Amino acid sequence: MSGFAIKGWCPDAWRPMATGDGLLVRIKPRLGRLSRDQALALCALAQTCGNGMIDITRRANLQIRGVSEANWPLLIVQLIEHGLTDPDAWRERARNILIAPNWAEGDDSHRIACDLMARIDRLPPLPGKVGFVIDAGRAPILSAEPGDFRIERGADGGLILRADGRVCGTIIPFGQEAEALIALAHWFAQSGARRMARHHAPLPDWANGSQPPAPARPAIVPGGAAFGVPFGQIDASLLARTATSDLRITPWRVLILEGTPTANIPGLISDPASPLLRVDACPGAPACPQASVETRDLARRLAPVVKGRLHVSGCAKGCARSGPADITLTGRDGRFDLAANARAGAHDQTELPALTDMDPAMVLAHFGVA
Ligand code: SF4
């Protein structure tokens, strides 16, 4: 397995991360939403302070890439001015809240997310990757998305608090959801754990409920006013043209226009059957200093021929997808390892690579791509 740097923290606007193409500045849209004015401001900033490319992350955040150290002070001031970043660095770091993108004003998801944001100062310091999921619609739609503490619809129709990795949750009285999330976060912080899913200590009695979540619903896919973004990266000029109304950001690399549905937007995916929707590929080389291989051109060529989910990862860290894919290609020392039903960097007894040390031509030939 090739080595990679485990950062152990997450970048945000106040703490940008150095990458192969400059600083990466992460923006966390409140409620996963951008007004049209905010979207246009973000696009202009990506062009003037960054390299013009914007990422959509698996937690429905946005990233401006290619920011120079000289431009960052101007960028942070502008982000605050447009309401895209909290003026308080601690609050910005703590606000790791993923909300079901189909929320409506005043519904449970909206109400609970607003309650939690209003109480953000009461959260304990948490490891950078720890986050909250507010998924309080009629059925969970974020079950597969990363998040440590969840509010979601229970099988009996009420709302439950569920710790990630636990099958069942605790019924929470109406209006107490944000307080319950904060209390569980304090218990977690005091236990010294890093991620809830890997934390096997018994939950406190009050949080150790037996109510299962309601059956999950499928995620939102492109069609109507929803548009897939190939590999979750979009040119700022295309996003500016797309933002004809306010926008919702989803964790599925899909943008939702709140305004009138648009039939087609060149460069974005409107066909729910597009093979690109089944592909995860991180930026790879040269954008990421950890990568020794190019990823996205290869993924684009393989997408139509690989059956099921394809993951092309620049290294063993697997930033684009944490779970297994039907076919996973992992870069290592300038070549690829290929594994089936595996995570990036498959190296344990159950996920050993089937083929190793392949150059891109060998990979393409393996799948019959001329
Ligand atoms: S998985 Fe990709 S983006 Fe993540 S560190 Fe490795 S090469 Fe970089």
Side-chain angles (χ1 to χ4, degrees):
M1 183 179 70
S2 65
F4 59 88
I6 298 173
K7 308 281 186 192
W9 59 281
C10 281
D12 57 37
W14 284 103
R15 290 197 307 173
M17 178 186 280
T19 71
D21 56 2
L23 295 177
L24 178 155
V25 175
R26 183 172 293 167
I27 291 110
K28 305 174 184 175
R30 285 179 177 75
L31 302 169
R33 182 175 190 268
L34 290 178
S35 70
R36 180 167 185 260
D37 286 349
Q38 283 179 317
L40 296 179
L42 181 77
C43 293
L45 289 168
Q47 289 169 318
T48 55
C49 297
N51 63 11
M53 300 308 291
I54 297 173
D55 297 330
I56 302 175
T57 78
R58 289 167 53 235
R59 288 192 60 82
N61 292 324
L62 298 166
Q63 295 174 166
I64 296 178
R65 302 192 73 99
V67 177
S68 69
E69 291 193 14
N71 279 340
W72 177 78
L74 168 69
L75 177 60
I76 192 81
V77 167
Q78 292 290 312
L79 289 173
I80 292 168
E81 191 165 300
H82 290 285
L84 291 163
T85 296
D86 198 294
D88 182 283
W90 191 91
R91 268 193 227 124
E92 180 68 13
R93 195 173 309 161
R95 191 168 49 80
N96 282 338
I97 304 170
L98 177 62
I99 180 172
N102 59 352
W103 61 267
E105 186 89 21
D107 72 5
D108 285 329
S109 289
H110 179 252
R111 172 181 60 79
I112 297 164
C114 290
D115 281 356
L116 185 58
M117 286 193 290
R119 294 165 168 80
I120 209 86
D121 287 336
R122 294 189 30 225
L123 286 173
L126 293 166
K129 293 181 185 303
V130 168
F132 300 85
V133 173
I134 313 295
D135 192 11
R138 280 188 295 162
I141 62 172
L142 297 176
S143 307
E145 311 315 321
D148 297 80
F149 315 111
R150 300 165 179 274
I151 296 289
E152 53 195 16
R153 188 65 57 188
D156 73 345
L159 289 174
I160 60 171
L161 167 70
R162 186 168 67 85
D164 201 33
R166 306 301 201 270
V167 175
C168 294
T170 299
I171 298 168
I172 302 295
F174 182 90
Q176 295 299 307
E177 301 91 348
E179 289 294 337
L181 287 168
I182 292 168
L184 193 57
H186 276 275
W187 167 83
F188 176 84
Q190 283 161 13
S191 72
R194 304 298 298 170
R195 293 305 301 266
M196 191 63 235
R198 297 195 293 269
H199 188 37
H200 302 301
L203 291 168
D205 286 348
W206 66 266
N208 195 18
S210 57
Q211 179 67 219
R217 279 194 181 176
I220 295 163
V221 295
F227 296 91
V229 178
F231 309 125
Q233 188 167 72
I234 185 168
D235 191 289
S237 59
L238 175 55
L239 181 57
R241 290 197 300 280
T242 302
T244 52
S245 69
D246 299 342
L247 287 170
R248 303 275 176 106
I249 318 296
T250 78
W252 310 296
R253 300 176 182 133
V254 172
L255 296 171
I256 301 171
L257 283 174
E258 290 187 4
T260 313
T262 308
N264 196 13
I265 299 177
L268 297 182
I269 302 167
S270 48
D271 175 6
S274 168
L276 279 180
L277 292 171
R278 294 185 278 106
V279 178
D280 304 289
C282 73
C288 177
Q290 312 287 339
S292 61
V293 291
E294 192 285 330
T295 50
R296 289 180 174 165
D297 284 350
L298 182 65
R300 215 176 263 280
R301 295 184 68 184
L302 291 173
V305 298
V306 170
K307 291 196 169 38
R309 193 95 211 159
L310 167 68
H311 181 190
V312 182
S313 184
C315 79
K317 191 173 178 186
C319 294
R321 182 177 183 82
S322 52
D326 295 290
I327 295 293
T328 296
L329 289 157
T330 306
R332 180 171 56 86
D333 300 332
R335 298 169 82 84
F336 286 97
D337 294 336
L338 185 157
N341 303 314
R343 294 171 178 77
H347 55 88
D348 67 25
Q349 289 305 308
T350 56
E351 295 186 350
L352 285 172
L355 295 166
T356 60
D357 213 18
M358 305 170 84
D359 66 23
M362 293 164 73
V363 173
L364 290 168
H366 177 80
F367 288 101
V369 180

